[in-house]
Amino acid sequence: MRRRITLPLLTTGVVGATLAVSAPAQAHGYVSSPPSRQALCAQQRVPDCGQIQYEPQSVEGPKGLRSCNAGIAQFAVLNDDSRNWPATAVGTSVTFTWVNTARHATANWEYWIGNTRVAVVDGGGRQPDATVSHTVNLSAFPGRQKLLAIWNIADTANAFYSCVDLQVGGGGTPTPSPTPTPSPTPGTPSPSPTPRPTVSPTTTPAPTGTWTAGRTYQVGDVVTYNGLTYRCLQAHTALPGWEPPNTPALWQRS
């Protein structure tokens, strides 16, 4: 999370959650897909979120918590179920993707619904990739659910927390049945086929502008930064320190 810190605190590696917020410290990680509550706030799909909209990656607290805000007062909005958070319609097998803007050595990832741990993935104490995906079977939990995803760090006492609202069993769009081609009436001439337009080869879209902190980007957006072109891989609201060369989980060089 973003904190005002001094050099002695940095050298000890201990920063209290009550320190004042100013500029972003080292970023960490959160569930981006299906969008967690902090991701929805960062994308401004949920209004009036307060501080969390600027630092969705900073929901960090002691291991063993079961709260969406990791006990951090300025992120209390994440615990407010009365806000009617949008629930993503999913099937019974759901793939969760973490964006790790700091790749901490990992003990494991846990997935909870209520008091039930529905999945755990071993991290082996290794540094994860910039993005990590896990597929979890939720067939025993149909309907609307609030899932708590936890990233337990291997070499500290802390973890990162993300709550994801889901409508389990409501995912996927049925494939429409093909419309049968009517048989021609005897004696009726067959219609001439409609010529298809010539499709030009796919080209890289023109950049939408220079990368700018505070702007919301969608998948496929193209920007320039320091004379280079990048394509957006994950929908997000850009923060200082998330420049395209620094966040390969969010931007791909075109």
Side-chain angles (χ1 to χ4, degrees):
M1 62 189 289
R2 303 194 295 179
R3 306 182 177 95
R4 184 177 295 118
I5 53 182
T6 62
L7 183 58
L9 285 175
L10 282 174
T11 57
T12 62
V14 179
V15 180
T18 58
L19 294 178
V21 173
S22 57
Q26 186 184 38
H28 305 290
Y30 65 103
V31 174
S32 63
S33 177
S36 57
R37 291 184 175 185
Q38 57 256 58
L40 292 169
C41 288
Q43 295 168 16
Q44 299 182 351
R45 292 172 58 187
V46 175
D48 304 321
C49 287
Q51 187 65 32
I52 190 61
Q53 66 184 306
Y54 305 114
E55 46 182 327
Q57 75 285 352
S58 297
V59 186
E60 178 183 10
K63 294 174 182 174
L65 300 179
R66 295 293 176 266
S67 63
C68 299
N69 73 330
I72 302 172
Q74 61 264 40
F75 298 159
V77 64
L78 299 175
N79 287 341
D80 187 358
D81 295 338
S82 69
R83 291 179 66 88
N84 193 28
W85 297 90
T88 302
V90 295
T92 56
S93 182
V94 186
T95 299
F96 296 91
T97 299
W98 290 80
V99 172
N100 304 324
T101 48
R103 296 161 57 193
H104 299 291
T106 302
N108 59 36
W109 293 269
E110 298 179 278
Y111 295 88
W112 293 77
I113 291 180
N115 293 322
T116 302
R117 188 171 74 172
V118 297
V120 59
V121 180
D122 183 25
R126 297 180 296 273
Q127 184 184 52
D129 292 333
T131 58
V132 174
S133 295
H134 307 129
T135 299
V136 178
N137 182 359
L138 298 180
S139 58
F141 301 90
R144 180 164 182 132
Q145 302 290 347
K146 180 176 71 175
L147 178 140
L148 175 62
I150 305 173
W151 176 23
N152 291 304
I153 307 307
D155 50 6
T156 77
N158 282 359
F160 292 88
Y161 297 83
S162 287
C163 277
V164 186
D165 294 278
L166 303 169
Q167 186 67 38
V168 180
T173 302
T175 302
S177 300
T179 302
T181 302
S183 301
T185 303
T188 302
S190 300
S192 300
T194 303
R196 296 183 179 181
T198 302
V199 178
S200 301
T202 302
T203 58
T204 301
T208 55
T210 303
W211 180 90
T212 305
R215 179 172 176 179
T216 298
Y217 293 101
Q218 302 300 323
V219 174
D221 285 353
V222 177
V223 300
T224 58
Y225 184 81
N226 284 347
L228 301 176
T229 303
Y230 297 86
R231 183 190 300 273
C232 181
L233 300 178
Q234 297 266 357
H236 67 284
T237 298
L239 302 176
W242 287 21
E243 292 79 5
N246 302 333
T247 51
L250 302 179
W251 296 99
Q252 180 182 57
R253 175 90 172 272
S254 296

